[in-house]
Amino acid sequence: MNKIVTVVAPVNIAVIKYWGKRDEELILPINDSVSATLDTSVMCAKTSVTARPEFTEDEIWLNGKKESFFNKRLQNCLREIKLRASDEKSVDENFLSWKVHVCSENNFPTAAGLASSAAGYACLVSALAKLYKLKSDVSSIARLGSGSACRSVYGGFVRWHAGEKPDGSDSVASQVADSSHWPDMHALILVVGEAKKKTSSTKGMNISWQTSELLKYRAQHIVPQRTEEICKAIKEKNFAKFAEITMKDSNQFHAVCLDSYPPFVYLTSVSHMIIDLIHSYNDICGEMKVAYTFDAGPNACLYLLEKDVPAVVSVIKHIFPSSSHAFIKGLESETVTIDAALISKLAIEPQAKDLIKYVIHTKVGEGPTEVVDGSHLLNQDGLPNNLVCL
Ligand code: DP6
């Protein structure tokens, strides 16, 4: 049996942030978090997996480069998948003893605060789960790869329940609403920098957990209520409430980074200009039109309704002019002429060119899906198709 399974999986961008672990090994968070899963037709990870009796070792190729399989998180995911398969008796014992080959690619910058590890691990675990014919929820296995990955196992709006059990069995993700619930929820990702971040999320949240009182206060007294409120706002499609909570939670997360000791800063002056621009734009419009959120990097993710995309894209192009012809990538977006009166009221002046490198226009989408057109990343021998992978 030479079966190759290929899956594409989405990124997700949190609106209630996960920051801080109560267990490093099992990746158990100190608070619930909530995210939207973004359309795989725009941004995705793609992974092919196969298991063969003739393979002598587990091997992995990531974005065209051979990487070591002796990575604790990777090993934990594979071990858990096999344990589950053995419990569920979904494949025979022989198959379980065979080594695996994995080839994975992202179609967006890795480690630039664009949730690449979330898509990558969700993709790996979903592909392995299909190869080993698992029936049960695999979010708790994706969690072992990267905490935020457990939310990419589902489409639409997703909540990761922190759970209470020391073994992590109740630290799983579940869907708040599927991708068809609020189809006009779009996102614009403003790519400010693609450089690898100085302080990784894993390291940063560890420093915060050790040193920030604000983080503990947030997890105990702020996040529980916010999580309930934002889930309600999502279910009721209350954009104003959704936007307010999203922005406040992003700001509090970055305040925690500054409250950590030594502090670390992910936002740049351009990130701050974007924050000012959004508040000013919402004020001028007299209603909540756009929400920003920032992960562990300077890039903004703006959530907004489809009807407002043309006006917002036009404002961004005006304030952050670009010399690129492909400034807006992803979904089609028209531009409109913006009202001169609105422009004159904005709190921020047009800036020098190319402060924002490009914008990715996307929307809420579905969870991991199997690729059935045969476009595997591994060939029939179970080796990377693409020669640069070798
Ligand atoms: C700021 O999931 O990357 O994006 O569990 O250590 O792999 P590890 O961290 P990771 O952290 C993501 C942090 C965040 C917020 C979020 O996605 O909720």
Side-chain angles (χ1 to χ4, degrees), residues 116-269:
S116 55
S117 63
Y121 273 108
C123 206
L124 170 77
V125 167
S126 303
L128 289 172
K130 285 206 166 23
L131 185 69
Y132 290 92
K133 302 193 171 88
L134 299 188
K135 298 268 181 309
S136 50
D137 163 84
V138 291
S139 69
S140 60
I141 307 183
R143 192 199 73 226
L144 297 172
S146 186
S148 54
C150 74
R151 297 186 311 240
S152 273
V153 164
Y154 296 105
F157 296 86
V158 182
R159 175 173 182 169
W160 174 12
H161 304 264
E164 285 168 358
K165 295 187 185 161
D167 70 354
S169 55
D170 55 352
S171 190
V172 294
S174 70
Q175 204 170 47
V176 176
D178 70 19
S179 59
S180 65
H181 167 72
W182 207 354
D184 44 344
M185 177 66 84
H186 281 225
L188 295 171
I189 297 172
L190 277 41
V191 178
V192 170
E194 293 188 294
K196 209 172 149 77
K197 53 201 174 203
K198 272 197 308 238
T199 310
S200 69
S201 309
T202 309
K203 186 173 165 208
M205 69 175 84
N206 189 290
I207 301 174
S208 301
W209 175 240
Q210 306 286 336
T211 61
S212 170
E213 288 300 318
L214 177 57
L215 179 64
K216 290 177 184 117
Y217 184 83
R218 158 183 165 72
Q220 273 173 24
H221 303 289
I222 310 278
V223 174
Q225 194 182 341
R226 266 187 194 163
T227 303
E228 295 310 325
E229 278 176 10
I230 207 158
C231 289
K232 184 165 179 276
I234 292 166
K235 286 183 181 136
E236 293 171 352
K237 295 193 245 184
N238 179 345
F239 184 79
K241 194 76 199 157
F242 172 87
E244 182 191 329
I245 298 174
T246 297
M247 292 189 279
K248 285 185 171 169
D249 205 71
S250 171
N251 294 337
Q252 189 170 73
F253 154 50
H254 291 279
V256 164
C257 298
L258 211 51
D259 186 52
S260 304
Y261 195 81
F264 41 91
V265 175
Y266 293 121
L267 304 181
T268 62
S269 58

Side-chain angles (χ1 to χ4, degrees), residues 274-289:
I274 295 167
I275 293 175
D276 289 345
L277 176 64
I278 302 306
H279 284 289
S280 171
Y281 183 76
N282 286 337
D283 280 353
I284 297 165
C285 293
E287 65 177 300
M288 207 66 104
K289 292 278 194 193

Side-chain angles (χ1 to χ4, degrees), residues 252-327:
Q252 189 170 73
F253 154 50
H254 291 279
V256 164
C257 298
L258 211 51
D259 186 52
S260 304
Y261 195 81
F264 41 91
V265 175
Y266 293 121
L267 304 181
T268 62
S269 58
V270 179
S271 315
H272 284 287
M273 283 178 205
I274 295 167
I275 293 175
D276 289 345
L277 176 64
I278 302 306
H279 284 289
S280 171
Y281 183 76
N282 286 337
D283 280 353
I284 297 165
C285 293
E287 65 177 300
M288 207 66 104
K289 292 278 194 193
V290 194
Y292 55 78
T293 185
F294 295 83
D295 280 343
N299 304 322
C301 173
L302 307 184
Y303 282 113
L304 72 174
L305 297 178
E306 185 175 12
K307 67 176 173 47
D308 295 315
V309 171
V312 171
V313 164
S314 308
V315 168
I316 292 168
K317 280 182 161 170
H318 180 78
I319 301 293
F320 296 103
S322 162
S323 44
S324 162
H325 294 299
F327 184 56

